[in-house]
Each structure stands twice: as structure tokens, then as C-alpha cells.
Amino acid sequence: MQGALAANGKKIIHFLNQKKREITYTVVSTSLAAYFITSRIATTAIVTGSSMSPTFNENSPKSRVFVDLMTPVTKVKPDDIILAHDPEESSGYIVKRVKALAGQFVDVDTDSPGSYVKKHAFEGKLSVPTGYCWVEGDNKSTSHDSREFGPLPLGLIKGRVLFTMWN
């Protein structure tokens, strides 16, 4: 009788160990897949502040956006909204609208020119250099953008905002 109980006990322990391995495998593989997707394919970002209002944050202080990480920076075009590393704050990100690409000219906004524009504009225009783009917020009165820090290096672009998930 004791031999039968011992055999059943070993079967139960073997079964539980197998289930633990399966659960561990599932958790690890799901975590790796989630990491790969959010770091290489697509991710979400929270947009705060009013610099992109009314496109984002019109009715609330935060908007969550869906960001495509697969589009190469060479495919970004004017009017695209992008997520980029902040050129002035290494740990921060910015969400802005692309206004011009390399070789294109930017018309200077005389109502709110910004410090970069004041120093570098010639006859009301600026040229965007190769490897850069010009970005601005939709709400020019509150946006800190290329008018202040100059053209944005394409290498700082993390992805293209595809849509708002919620506002």
C-alpha cells in the first residue's frame, strides 16, 4: 500500500513540475514577444501638454497614441506626426508634426519666430539641411519645437504616430 502511495506521489510531483515548466515557458516567451513588438514594431505613447492641441489633448490633459516603429525615417513626409527623442533633453520625447524635409524651405512665422529662427532665417525663409527635418507643434503659442532648437536630426525619430487610441 505504501509503495502505491509513493508512486502516486511521484507522479503528482512530476505532473506539477511539468506544469511549472510550461507556465514559466509561457510567461517568458510572452514577455519576450511583447518586448520585441513594443521595441521594434509598434508601441504606444502618452502625449501631455498643449503643444499639439487641438490634434491631441483637446478635451483632456493626456492622449494615448499608437506609434509605428517600422516605418524608416526616410519614408517620413511633411504633415506626418512623429515621436522623437527630445534634442535638448536626452531622457525625454517629443510629439510634433513634420513641416519640411531636407532641401525644403520653411517660411518663418513672424508672430512667434523662436530663438533659432531669429538667428538663422534669411529673408523670411530657412533651408532644412540634409539628414534633418523641421518639426512644429500644432499649437504654436505653447510649442517648443524647431523654431527654438532648429532642425531635428532624422536619427532622433523613433516612429510615426498612426492614430489616437483615446483622448
Side-chain angles (χ1 to χ4, degrees):
M1 178 89 161
Q2 285 183 343
L5 287 175
N8 280 340
K10 287 182 181 180
K11 286 180 183 177
I12 291 171
I13 290 171
H14 176 71
F15 174 78
L16 292 175
N17 285 338
Q18 184 179 355
K19 284 297 173 191
K20 277 198 253 182
R21 279 193 297 274
E22 287 175 10
I23 290 170
T24 301
Y25 175 77
T26 301
V27 168
V28 169
S29 60
T30 302
S31 298
L32 288 172
Y35 172 77
F36 177 77
I37 289 168
T38 58
S39 66
R40 304 275 187 232
I41 297 173
T43 191
T44 63
I46 295 176
V47 181
T48 59
S50 61
S51 72
M52 285 301 291
S53 182
T55 305
F56 304 122
N57 304 335
E58 186 174 26
N59 301 319
S60 76
K62 295 180 184 178
S63 293
R64 183 167 292 273
V65 295
F66 186 82
V67 182
D68 165 24
L69 302 175
M70 300 230 357
T71 301
V73 294
T74 56
K75 299 288 184 195
V76 172
K77 57 190 181 310
D79 255 3
D80 281 351
I81 299 173
I82 54 129
L83 172 69
H85 295 277
D86 190 326
E88 296 184 319
E89 184 184 325
S90 62
S91 63
Y93 290 92
I94 58 173
V95 173
K96 302 292 177 195
R97 187 176 303 276
V98 175
K99 291 294 187 177
L101 298 171
Q104 296 179 330
F105 287 92
V106 178
D107 290 321
V108 174
D109 183 0
T110 55
D111 293 334
S112 54
S115 59
Y116 182 87
V117 169
K118 287 177 185 174
K119 291 179 190 173
H120 298 92
F122 180 71
E123 294 182 3
K125 293 198 180 286
L126 279 165
S127 175
V128 180
T130 302
Y132 291 80
C133 65
W134 189 268
V135 296
E136 292 182 6
D138 290 351
N139 184 355
K140 293 188 189 322
S141 65
T142 63
S143 182
H144 186 77
D145 50 36
S146 287
R147 294 170 299 150
E148 293 293 331
F149 54 73
L152 180 76
L154 293 177
L156 293 183
I157 296 175
K158 185 166 169 68
R160 191 169 50 114
V161 175
L162 296 181
F163 57 87
T164 304
M165 295 172 69
W166 63 79
N167 229 345

